[in-house]
Amino acid sequence: MCDFCERAEKWEQPPLPGVSGNAVTGRVAAGIYDYKTTPPELQINDPGLAKKLWGGGNASIHIRIQYCPMCGRKLGS
C-alpha cells in the first residue's frame, strides 16, 4: 500500500517529498488526489511561485496523471 496515493476513509495523505522543477521554488506542498468523482491529479501549491508571478498569494498547479509517481499504481480504477 502506497501512503501517497491510496486513500482510506478519514485519512490524510502525507505530502510528496522532494518536488522541484524550473518554475517550482523550495516551499512546496504537493499531493496526489485520486477521487472516484474526478480524474486523478497531482496538485502542487507553491507560495514562492505566486510571489514571483504576482507579488504574493498562492499558486496551484493541477496536473492530470494516470500513475502514481511514487509506486507506479494505475490511478482512477
Side-chain angles (χ1 to χ4, degrees):
M1 180 171 157
C2 177
D3 288 340
F4 301 101
C5 69
E6 294 202 28
R7 291 198 175 273
E9 191 174 322
K10 298 181 183 176
W11 183 65
E12 296 271 333
Q13 290 174 281
L16 288 173
V19 175
S20 64
N22 57 352
V24 177
T25 61
R27 298 179 3 221
V28 175
I32 299 169
Y33 295 90
D34 183 19
Y35 296 112
K36 292 181 180 179
T37 57
T38 61
E41 64 182 18
L42 172 65
Q43 291 182 7
I44 302 170
N45 298 312
D46 184 5
L49 179 60
K51 186 172 183 174
K52 274 187 195 177
L53 296 175
W54 307 297
N58 193 14
S60 295
I61 303 168
H62 298 252
I63 304 166
R64 285 194 178 177
I65 57 175
Q66 294 182 356
Y67 298 93
C68 173
M70 301 302 285
C71 72
R73 181 177 73 89
K74 181 158 176 62
L75 302 172
S77 56

